[in-house]
Every structure is written in C-alpha cells, then in structure tokens.
C-alpha cells in the first residue's frame, strides 16, 4: 500500500517540471489528484496516470479557477486532504537596474499574482474542505526564499513571501490543518518568465551551477518528489507544521574558496 492511499489532492503547476514529477509519484503512492495548470500539457497526465488524475486547465490567479479545482475534487472523490501550491514563474534573475521603472508595477503584479496571491487564493478556496478532513497544505518555495541571488528582486521577494505564508497559515490553521513548504535549490526545468517584462521561458539551470553546488550534481526532476510525499503523508509528517524543508544541494552552506570541503577545484 502506498503512503498516500485514500488521499485526495489539489495540485497547481502540475503540467510540467517538479509538479508533474510529484503528481506522478503521488499517483504511484495511491493518491487521487486534481492536476491544475494554465498549460494544456496538464491534460497529458490523464493518458499517463488514468483515473487517478483529473486535469484542469485554469489560471491559478483566478478565484474561480481555484474554487473549480476544489469543487472538482469534492464532486469526483467526495473529499480533499492536501492542497499543493506549486505553480510559479520567474523574473530570470533580472537585476533591478535592468527593469524599466514604468514596467515594474506590471511585472510585480504578474509575478506576485502567480507566486504569492495564487497560493493564498488556493488555500482560501480549499479551507473548509481541509478543515473537514484535517488535511494539509504544501507550498513550493525556493532557495531564493531565504537567500539573495537565486532570482531578481521580484522572484526573490515573492519566494520570501511564500515562507511568510507557510508560517502565518500554519499558525492560523492549527490545530486543524498542517502547513509546510519545500524550498528547492535547482531543478532542470524551463520556468516561464514574466511576460509583462518581455520574458519567455528560460533554463532554470545556469552555466556553472553544477560546479557551485556542494553536492556537485544537478538534481533529477523527480529528486524532490519524496519530500513532497513525506509532507503529504498523515503519518510520516504528523508532527510537522510551519516548516520549510530546505532541499538545495547544500547551496546554503557553500564555502568561499570551495563549494564543499572535499570538492577538488581545477588548478
Ligand atoms: N527549477 C528550479 O530550479 C526551481 C528552484 C526553486 C524553486 N522552484 C519552484 O518550483 C516550482 C515549479 O517550477 P518548475 O521549476 O517545475 O517550473 P515549470 O515551469 O516546469 O513548472 C511550473 C508550472 O506552473 C505553471 N504555471 C505558471 N503560471 C501559471 C498560472 N498562472 N496558472 C496555472 N499554472 C501556472 C506552468 O505552466 C508550469 O507547468 C515553482 O514554484 C518554482 O518557483 C524551481
């Protein structure tokens, strides 16, 4: 029996990258998932995972889209145990001085709409059902949620905000709903850029990233799936709430001369 047998999940940003890998793992662990994404790619999950997943194409920034996701879970399986707010976009680490002042507000609204407002909308929409099931929330943060230089000002501030949400919501929803987060370092994906700043999708892994990581490996796309599974498990993470799980390949403990004590640098 899988560790998520019987659990019903609403999962945003499920169409690609980390989200798609975690949804695949959740299904293998016995969960049933409403998989939400703004991209039609999310509909491919139906063919891959069968009746364990109901894909939903919607924008996480819309209240109606979040309500529809929760209602789909309730109509299809009669309950909701976990809300995962994972959809995200990036500012491609653009420095503040390279963003025209008259476009900042639009860029802020777009990026904070997806990375910060959307998880608030999602949790609000899921609240009654999660209280009823004594369920849990998982939000995707980032290395940029506690450090500089994992993004530009907009992305870094948004992921710091996600850490604040995890703490505040964990407080507000205790003792009925646990709220935790995962802060990945890097993953081989192509995060969408902020269209109001004229950005398209870009590789998340920059040149030189592997060498900068103390663990010296770019993680596989499913490297984070076990952590998301742990946090969704009623038994394995029963004592965790208000926790950000750092999963950054050691970036936060990098040294100055060498990224790790046993890393051999050239020359
Ligand atoms: N890739 C990395 O190196 C990395 C590192 C740290 C944190 N993260 C975070 O991981 C999460 C997943 O990102 P990923 O790297 O897998 O990228 P990804 O682009 O593959 O996945 C993000 C998904 O969110 C969806 N999405 C974007 N805007 C949306 C909207 N308005 N409505 C609905 N869906 C929307 C996209 O279509 C996409 O499928 C994000 O929150 C990201 O900030 C990624």
């Amino acid at each position: 029996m899988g560790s998520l047998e019987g659990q019903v999940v609403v999962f945003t940003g499920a169409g690609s990258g980390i989200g798609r890998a975690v949804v695949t793992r959740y299904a293998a662990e016995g969960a049933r998932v409403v998989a939400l994404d703004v991209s039609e790619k999310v509909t491919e999950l139906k063919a891959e995972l069968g009746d364990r997943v109901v894909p939903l194409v919607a924008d996480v920034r819309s209240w109606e889209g979040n309500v529809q996701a929760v209602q789909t879970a309730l109509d299809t399986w009669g309950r909701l145990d976990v809300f995962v707010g994972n959809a995200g976009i990036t500012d491609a680490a653009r420095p503040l001085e390279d963003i025209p002042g008259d476009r900042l507000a639009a860029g802020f609204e777009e990026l904070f709409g997806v990375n910060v407002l959307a998880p608030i909308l999602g949790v609000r929409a899921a609240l009654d059902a999660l209280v009823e099931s004594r369920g849990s929330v998982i939000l995707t943060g980032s290395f940029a949620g506690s450090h500089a230089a994992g993004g530009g000002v907009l992305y870094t501030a948004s992921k710091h905000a996600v850490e604040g949400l995890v703490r505040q919501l964990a407080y507000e929803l205790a003792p009925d709903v646990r709220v935790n987060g995962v802060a990945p370092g890097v993953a081989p994906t192509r995060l969408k850029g902020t269209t109001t700043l004229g950005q398209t999708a870009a590789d998340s892994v920059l040149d030189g990233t592997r060498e900068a990581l103390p663990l010296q490996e770019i993680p596989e796309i499913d490297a984070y799936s076990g952590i998301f599974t742990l946090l969704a498990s009623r038994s394995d993470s029963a004592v965790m709430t208000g926790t950000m799980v750092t999963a950054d390949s050691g970036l936060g403990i990098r040294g100055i001369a060498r990224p790790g004590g046993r890393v051999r640098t050239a020359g």
Side-chain angles (χ1 to χ4, degrees):
M1 192 170 108
S3 65
L4 304 182
E5 207 64 52
Q7 299 227 61
V8 176
V9 181
V10 166
F11 201 112
T12 77
S16 61
I18 294 170
R20 189 169 180 139
V22 177
V23 167
T24 303
R25 172 70 175 271
Y26 275 14
E29 295 286 350
R32 290 159 292 180
V33 185
V34 176
L36 185 154
D37 205 290
V38 75
S39 162
E40 294 280 344
K41 277 177 73 73
V42 75
T43 60
E44 296 167 5
L45 285 170
K46 186 78 189 163
E48 285 173 22
L49 304 174
D51 289 345
R52 289 203 164 270
V53 62
V54 175
L56 178 63
V57 177
D59 190 326
V60 283
R61 290 172 292 182
S62 98
W63 168 243
E64 292 74 19
N66 284 283
V67 169
Q68 194 186 349
V70 171
Q71 199 56 49
T72 301
L74 296 175
D75 290 347
T76 312
W77 296 299
R79 58 183 295 122
L80 177 64
D81 298 279
V82 185
F83 172 81
V84 185
N86 166 76
I89 59 173
T90 182
D91 60 7
R94 184 174 292 180
L96 179 59
E97 65 182 357
D98 293 348
I99 306 174
D102 62 0
R103 298 191 40 200
L104 261 174
F108 179 94
E109 193 178 328
E110 182 184 0
L111 191 139
F112 269 69
V114 178
N115 291 9
V116 184
L117 174 62
I120 300 174
L121 292 171
V123 173
R124 183 66 188 88
L127 199 51
D128 290 348
L130 291 177
V131 168
E132 166 99 21
S133 68
R134 294 184 73 89
S136 75
V137 171
I138 304 168
L139 302 184
T140 305
S142 172
F143 170 77
S146 53
H147 296 81
V153 283
L154 297 178
Y155 186 78
T156 299
S158 78
K159 289 300 185 179
H160 274 64
V162 168
E163 299 214 0
L165 283 181
V166 167
R167 292 193 187 93
Q168 179 67 22
L169 290 170
Y171 169 76
E172 287 193 17
L173 302 187
D176 297 320
V177 180
R178 297 183 302 110
V179 182
N180 296 293
V182 182
V186 291
T189 66
R190 285 181 63 77
L191 264 172
K192 285 195 186 109
T194 309
T195 52
T196 45
L197 299 181
Q199 299 175 321
T200 52
D203 282 339
S204 304
V205 181
L206 307 175
D207 286 347
T209 300
R210 188 189 70 73
E211 293 75 12
L213 298 175
L215 292 184
Q216 300 280 287
E217 293 285 348
I218 301 297
E220 299 286 336
I221 193 60
D222 62 358
Y224 302 95
S225 303
I227 300 165
F228 280 85
T229 303
L230 169 85
L231 293 179
S233 164
R234 288 181 178 278
S235 52
D236 294 347
S237 58
V239 292
M240 294 172 76
T241 196
T243 300
M244 285 301 299
V245 178
T246 298
D248 68 356
S249 305
L251 265 177
I253 51 88
R254 236 185 86 87
I256 295 171
R258 285 181 290 162
R262 290 174 54 79
V263 174
R264 305 282 169 253
T265 46

